[in-house]
Amino acid sequence: MEIEFASLDNTLARFTLSGAKPGFANAFRRAMIGEVPTLAIEDVRIYDNTSALFDEMLAHRLGLIPIKTDLTSYSTQENCSCGGAGCPSCTVTYTLSVEGPKLVTSSDLIPQDPKAAPVNENIPIVKLAKGQKLVIEARAILNTGKAHAKWQPTLVCGYKNHPIITISPSCDACGMCVDECPRTILAVKGKKVEVVEGKLPDCSMCKLCERACIASGIGDEPAIRISASPDRYIFAVEGDGSLPTKEIMVQALSFIRGKADELERQTSEISGEEKK
């Protein structure tokens, strides 16, 4: 199994996964979405709210604000030594006290731990008119997207099979497939059609080029064929900023490995009991 990056930064990763079965590729995708823990606001105490929004709407908006997460500093409440009571090792406290007229944004959330500040300071929460006031206290905890979407570290996470374009020697370079391709992946060079260098991953496998080739009336079979690689996948992963995309990938792979090790342990125990 091999991963080859086309681009990688803190919020976006594009890479090719080779030598993997479809089941593993989908498990990798699902693990990045639902099994990587991040911080998100779970409990909100509202002491004063004279804004135009109900308390429940404010709490919902606060919960969806992405928060920078240091997985080495925090643990989930179920694994914390406090037993879920809410200590500094599993909980981050935020305070907000604002009086209008003002647009309340995520920058007004003051974290107990500066390392757990909102990812973006300009996320709007509510607009206060003159005389309106908002005073709250919020608690963020570590959890996964499996529990709720607000803990998902990814905005976009998907993959497709790597395309394969095969051009037959019988191709007469009429150019109809080139004109039909919506992503300008094909080009006529000399007396043959070729794939433009670096454009193959952009192919959506719509097969419009195949249909154009058949419509040209040259033979019963198209001179160009589009297929999908059975063990090679193109991934696109965009994070919300709570974790770097590389860490999201590492955490997801660690989760899969942990599950595989647990399955191997349990099957070994079953086999041992059967032998007895």
Side-chain angles (χ1 to χ4, degrees), residues 11-243:
T11 57
L12 181 64
R14 296 184 184 276
F15 60 91
T16 301
L17 173 66
S18 305
K21 298 291 184 182
F24 180 85
N26 194 44
F28 189 21
R29 178 190 68 86
R30 289 172 64 91
M32 285 190 282
I33 294 172
E35 302 293 352
V36 178
T38 62
L39 287 169
I41 291 175
E42 173 70 352
D43 300 312
V44 181
R45 292 183 179 181
I46 300 178
Y47 298 104
D48 194 359
N49 175 25
T50 56
S51 72
L53 291 184
F54 292 112
D55 293 352
E56 294 84 356
M57 296 177 70
L58 278 170
H60 180 67
R61 290 190 176 190
L62 290 167
L64 295 176
I65 295 174
I67 296 172
K68 296 175 183 176
T69 304
D70 182 2
L71 294 178
T72 61
S73 300
Y74 296 96
S75 63
T76 58
Q77 287 191 320
E78 59 184 21
N79 295 326
C80 187
S81 57
C82 72
C87 70
S89 296
C90 64
T91 306
V92 185
T93 303
Y94 299 82
T95 56
L96 186 151
S97 180
V98 181
E99 188 171 352
K102 177 180 172 61
L103 175 63
V104 184
T105 65
S106 52
S107 63
D108 295 307
L109 271 174
I110 310 301
Q112 181 185 28
D113 179 6
K115 294 188 297 182
V119 169
N120 193 309
E121 296 183 349
N122 301 315
I123 300 173
I125 299 172
V126 64
K127 188 174 183 179
L128 298 179
K130 185 176 180 180
Q132 292 181 334
K133 194 172 183 181
L134 181 61
V135 180
I136 67 169
E137 182 179 285
R139 295 196 316 156
I141 62 172
L142 206 64
N143 212 327
T144 64
K146 191 175 180 179
H148 192 280
K150 66 184 179 182
W151 282 294
Q152 290 181 5
T154 58
L155 301 174
V156 175
C157 185
Y159 70 90
K160 67 176 182 180
N161 289 78
H162 200 287
I164 299 173
I165 300 179
T166 306
I167 301 172
S168 169
S170 62
C171 174
D172 64 352
C174 68
M176 290 187 66
C177 59
V178 176
D179 296 336
E180 199 67 27
C181 180
R183 299 193 176 185
T184 61
I185 292 166
L186 303 171
V188 177
K189 293 186 178 180
K191 295 184 178 180
K192 60 181 181 178
V193 173
E194 295 181 354
V195 178
V196 177
E197 186 177 355
K199 296 281 285 184
L200 181 59
D202 295 337
C203 177
S204 63
M205 293 181 279
C206 63
K207 298 192 176 184
L208 290 175
C209 53
E210 280 191 17
R211 297 176 196 172
C213 192
I214 294 173
S216 67
I218 302 173
D220 298 329
E221 296 291 330
I224 184 169
R225 284 287 188 183
I226 309 298
S227 59
S229 174
D231 62 350
R232 199 175 180 205
Y233 314 89
I234 299 172
F235 274 79
V237 181
E238 183 179 353
D240 63 2
S242 55
L243 290 170

